[in-house]
Amino acid sequence: MRLAQAQEENSALHETIYGELTRMQVMREANRCLYCYDAPCVKACPTHIDIPSFIRKIATDNVLGSARVILQENPVGASCARVCPTEDLCEGACVLGEQDEPIHIGDLQRYATDFVRARDVELFVPGALTGMKVAVVGGGPAGLSAARELAVMGHDVTIYEAKAKLGGLCTYGIVPFRLPMDVALWEAEQVVRLGVHVRRNTVVGKDVSVDELLHSYHAILLAYGLGKVPRLGLEGEDLAGVLDAIEFIEKVKTGEDAGQIGDKVAIIGAGNTAIDAATSAKRLGAKEVTLFYRKTAREMTAYPFEVEFAKQEGVQFRFQCTPLRFVGDGQRVQRMELVETELKEVEGRLLAVPKPDSMFSVEVDTVIRAIGQTKLSELADLFGVSEHEGAIRVDNGCRTSHPKIFAAGDVTFDKGVAGEAMVVEAAEQGKIAAKSVDRFLATYWETQEQIF
Amino acid sequence: MADLVVNLAGIRSPNPFWLASAPPTNSGYQGMHAFEAGWGGAVWKTLGDPIVNVSSRFGALHINGQRMIGINNIELITDRPLEVNLKEMREVKRQFPHHALIASLMMDCNRERWHELVKRVQDVGVDGFELNFGCPHGMSERGMGSAVGQVPDLVTMTTEWVVEVAEVPVIVKLTPNITDIRYTARAAVKGGAHAVSMINTINSLIGVDLETGYPIPNVAGQGAHGGYCGPAVKPIALNMVAECARDASVSVPISGIGGIATWQDAAEFMRMGATTVQVCTAVMHHGFRIVEDMIDGLNQYLDRHQMASAMDLVGTSVARFTDFGRLDLNYKVVAHIDEKQCIHCNKCYIACEDAAHQCILRMVDGDGSERLVVDETECVGCNLCAMVCPVEDCISMIPLESHIIKTAHVG
């Protein structure tokens, strides 16, 4: 109810940035697809959706079949249709890109998945029961993807979700005008329909012990993602009005009161979450929203189309500067002091170092920190799996150092090592992990003696 | 600019583009508009005994989003009184004396009745007659249209009756719903026809409505076979025109009909022996205005090929259309893929792999990039790869050195 009310009260926040496609647009686009063989777009999709096949099915008015092709390879394909950086992935690889325009694959994927979302259809069925129990810790894209696959394989799956709703960042962490919550919840619902048990509002390590999980399940998949935005460690950071971007976006998404943000909002960071926070602030009514980043536009990790979108929404960018401290009236932040930076290559790494005598300050009503997410190392420690800089170490099959524990998604994303923290990448890891778990469970009874 | 004036068995028209006897030539109103738009001639919708038309009448074949690749119709001949048609025809001819106005006729197999019809109609000043021996639906069940066109003796006999009283050239319009159109074309010539036109529509059922199960089009839930036309039938029509054009026994000019929508289509028919071309479906799809580009395009084409007159184009490719047994078995082409233009859709690869001779190889270079290479020893030169390739001229069919065509271009 709260969400519905919020949607009414602030339609700008919930009005998606893409319009509904007309049937004419869809059919034109679907018919434009060349139906390539061994298509480059499929290779460019981390989940390897058979794109030519799903598009052909749209063209033949077999939209249900089309959606099945999409969701078979990617259980969160409806979300990905909205949040994937398609120009870097499928659309970037489209053979029509050079001489024509790439097929709008994301739009077509959205059309097909919307079609089945609007209808109560059974897309997948659970497999014959194997009698093996698997716990999935975390119900975000990676966890849901794995749970769907495991359920189809016939395993008895239970998802442990700390929050009230499944979907992870798709539900809570991506702005509603890009990814409405009902899309992510629908995807989660499809997984639950396969007989997957869900323990909501359950924090592993607190509400249920790691030992209990280890003893109750034949295998465990860790897919609990990342934590809050790390602290900057600066003076004045505890002042009211200095916010965590993940929490801020979650409030925007759930319709919870995000508080008064005022006219002048500063965002610290340059990733997609920073962009989401900035555009949300703008749509909440802030007059001046400026994104401060210590490096240049080139080093931003946000997708170019997100940056472009933020510019269109009126977000300002200020590069090569970094905050030093936040100053307030003792309660709320009023001013942010920064210093300009210059880029220097130190031991092969590009660092932003403060420029001498270049301090300046800006007036702010709100500051939103968006400099990444903390690693939930304590939980990994409880499971006793080995890590590298907070990221759980896994082999090619998403298996951790513990023989019956697997990990997928953001928990495994080690900077510069394993893929990018995209929803689609998490979905693929979930699939890979599920295959590994299945292989492991197939030989479970033969190997368990060695394990325990 | 070339001279587009053509002369078909004595019927002159300012250009070779005629409207076929069909819905676009149903009335004087349409005829006036058509001539104003630039059409060189029009064959009036078939005159005959009164009939009643059904509702609905047309069905279309759409392919991959392309509308009206073909049309099926179950409309009959004119459903307007003969005197009304004649009055309007007289008026059109009065206002456009230099355009070709042809009357399409259909009548029972009765000499006196044919005589009567021909005399009444030629009185309005038409430039020629076209005998409708082709309509495949509705009228054929009553012994007219293609029921005549399918029996050479009837074609000869009826043509003779018309020629007996006609004072203007007589064109016999043939049905494609036969085994070999040359037999009926010869029969028309034997009967004294001054020209033949082809093709009329092809027997067809355009589709079935998958929700209702009704045939398309349906009349109160029921359907009947109709006549098929439009771009999809062009190859059938072109072949029939070409077969007649190279048949010494079909010694009269030809008016080509069937799927013609552009100047290119028209030029192909003309190269294969048509003196005029008749158009219907394209006008039903886009209106009379398409003739502007047909005229313009043909003009440019003739200029490019240094032909002073459209008549110079007529029949220029006929000699190149021969019997299969006369084709050179030593000639060989092989596919060549231009790597620079290739967009890597792999359509050629899978077409050759699954449907031809498995002679396109996918090579991976040292840097991981893929390349499609034709194994020329296995390639039979079937053209399939070049046909499926979406990039124009990326795949070319190259004659092997010793077999370069010795003769220069025709025409």
Side-chain angles (χ1 to χ4, degrees), chain B residues 357-378:
Chain B
H357 299 82
Q358 302 81 46
C359 50
I360 296 181
L361 313 172
R362 297 177 71 189
M363 315 283 267
V364 180
D365 289 341
D367 62 355
S369 62
E370 278 189 18
R371 208 152 41 91
L372 293 161
V373 179
V374 177
D375 177 355
E376 293 188 2
T377 57
E378 291 296 318

Side-chain angles (χ1 to χ4, degrees), chain A residues 237-258:
Chain A
E237 201 168 344
D238 291 321
L239 286 166
V242 182
L243 310 177
D244 170 319
I246 298 280
E247 288 178 352
F248 173 68
I249 292 166
E250 183 171 329
K251 283 178 182 164
V252 165
K253 192 101 185 234
T254 56
E256 204 178 312
D257 185 9

